[in-house]
Each structure stands twice: as C-alpha cells, then as structure tokens.
Amino acid sequence: AQSVAQPEDQVNVAEGNPLTVKCTYSVSGNPYLFWYVQYPNRGLQFLLKYITGDNLVKGSYGFEAEFNKSQTSFHLKKPSALVSDSALYFCASRYTGANNLFFGTGTRLTVIP
Amino acid sequence: SQTIHQWPATLVQPVGSPLSLECTVEGTSNPNLYWYRQAAGRGLQLLFYSVGIGQISSEVPQNLSASRPQDRQFILSSKKLLLSDSGFYLCAIRTSGNTGELFFGEGSRLTVL
C-alpha cells in the first residue's frame, strides 16, 4: 500500500531555533515526495518536492527537506524558525504513473515567540 | 501560471438541501482536477478526480457527486446534504507535464445544520 506517515500531530519550537517536521513514506518504486503548508482557512501551498537527484531539496520560505532512502524518510527542516511559520504542514507522496497524491495526516507547527 | 477559483467561499446549508460547489481554472488547459475534503482542520480525503471532460473517478462512496462539463470547470454536488458533509472542500489541479504536484484553490467551507 502507498502511504505517508507524519508521526507528530503537534510540534512546538522556539523562534530562532531549528525546526524539523517528520515524514516517512511507504511507496513502491521511486517515490515522488512533496511538502505543503496550510494557513488557517486557506488552501494548501506547495513548498518543495523530491523527484530524483540531490537528496537535499530546497524550497520556498527557507524550508528544505532531506530524502533518506534507507530510512524511507523525507523530513522538513528550517534552520531558524519564524513565528509566521506556524501552520499545518502536510507531507505527500506519489508513485510513478499515479494520478493522485497520498497525504499524511498533517503536523501542526507552533513557533513560540 | 494557473489560477484556481472556488465559490462560494463559505456556505451554510440545512440538512437535506442540495449543494453545488464550483471550481474553475485559468491559465492552463486539460488539467487533472481533484476535489478533496478536509474535516476538522486536519487530514485530506480525496473525493473525486477527473482526467478529462466527462471523466470522473470516485474515491469514496457517499452522497456527493462530481461533474466536469468543461475542460476547466469542476463541480461538486449533492442532492441531499447530511450533517457529516460539513467540512472544508478544496479543489486542486495537476497540470500536464509536471512531476505530480497539485496546486490548490482557497477552498469552500460548508457547514450543514
């Protein structure tokens, strides 16, 4: 079965500290992996994706994610958190040839001033 | 770049009433179109997707239906709403030739009373 898991419902981090939002995947073949962010009462915004190549992917708003095939993970990171980063974050995956994305259940990030 | 319009943005309907949510897309042609529902501000549930005019795939059996009368128009409907239909409905597109990321509209919030 194709799926992604976000093991943490909630992550709290102090402003200025590094942040990590975790994601693991279960996708056969070569996965395509994505991160999205959602602010209250808004649609999802695309942050970054891994398709192939360099395992470290850089995206919007200073976010990056590292693809780790041996650990089947794709954690989202940022070196220094901002209060404005507080939002709901979704990891998603797609396998080659599929029309759909499989979304995780979301992780709510709160950055404390 | 593409633009996704969803309306209405907010809707309050009584149980048993009909529903029509509309999604239109500008700036691209022949996209894949998707309807997702998000309950209680968390996970996303794929309801329907369409790869072309008149072609609808249903992911979850329920009292909702979808139609795609034009290439860039996707409509979500119900003949009789249930309380459980309350939620945040998101339209998304995937453009041809991209690597699978979806782009989302701003959503329609439905409250069934």
Side-chain angles (χ1 to χ4, degrees):
Chain A
Q2 319 291 334
S3 67
V4 291
Q6 294 181 244
E8 301 160 315
D9 285 345
Q10 175 79 43
V11 170
N12 297 325
V13 63
E15 185 178 22
N17 282 4
L19 70 87
T20 299
V21 183
K22 296 180 180 177
C23 173
T24 59
Y25 65 90
S26 173
V27 177
S28 59
N30 296 319
Y32 295 174
L33 298 165
F34 309 86
W35 275 103
Y36 288 83
V37 60
Q38 185 183 31
Y39 297 99
N41 295 311
R42 302 294 299 277
L44 276 69
Q45 295 179 34
F46 171 71
L47 280 179
L48 52 80
K49 65 183 176 184
Y50 171 82
I51 304 302
T52 186
D54 194 350
N55 288 343
L56 184 64
V57 178
K58 294 188 183 296
S60 306
Y61 312 120
F63 284 95
E64 59 188 27
E66 186 168 10
F67 173 67
N68 187 318
K69 190 170 184 177
S70 63
Q71 297 185 9
T72 62
S73 67
F74 189 56
H75 300 332
L76 182 71
K77 300 182 180 184
K78 187 173 182 180
S80 179
L82 301 173
V83 173
S84 57
D85 293 329
S86 298
L88 188 56
Y89 290 81
F90 288 97
C91 180
S93 72
R94 182 177 82 89
Y95 60 91
T96 306
N99 282 314
N100 308 328
L101 293 189
F102 297 90
F103 282 88
T105 51
T107 298
R108 189 166 301 281
L109 172 69
T110 300
V111 181
I112 303 164
Chain B
S1 64
Q2 65 275 358
T3 305
I4 305 165
H5 300 283
Q6 284 191 245
W7 71 88
T10 305
L11 192 60
V12 180
Q13 291 285 95
V15 169
S17 63
L19 171 73
S20 180
L21 300 179
E22 188 162 344
C23 171
T24 58
V25 180
E26 295 177 357
T28 187
S29 58
N30 197 31
N32 284 6
L33 296 172
Y34 304 80
W35 278 112
Y36 283 86
R37 177 169 60 199
Q38 185 179 28
R42 292 310 294 239
L44 296 166
Q45 179 186 34
L46 177 63
L47 301 176
F48 302 95
Y49 71 92
S50 170
V51 299
I53 296 173
Q55 300 178 63
I56 308 294
S57 296
S58 174
E59 291 294 307
V60 182
Q62 54 205 324
N63 69 320
L64 299 173
S65 62
S67 63
R68 185 172 178 175
Q70 300 179 45
D71 180 47
R72 287 172 288 181
Q73 184 184 29
F74 203 26
I75 298 171
L76 183 70
S77 304
S78 174
K79 292 182 179 178
K80 288 185 178 181
L81 284 168
L82 306 173
L83 286 174
S84 58
D85 291 324
S86 293
F88 193 46
Y89 288 82
L90 291 160
C91 177
I93 73 169
R94 176 186 164 195
T95 55
S96 58
N98 82 359
T99 44
E101 62 265 35
L102 301 184
F103 295 95
F104 286 81
E106 289 301 311
S108 295
R109 183 164 300 284
L110 170 67
T111 303
V112 182
L113 301 174

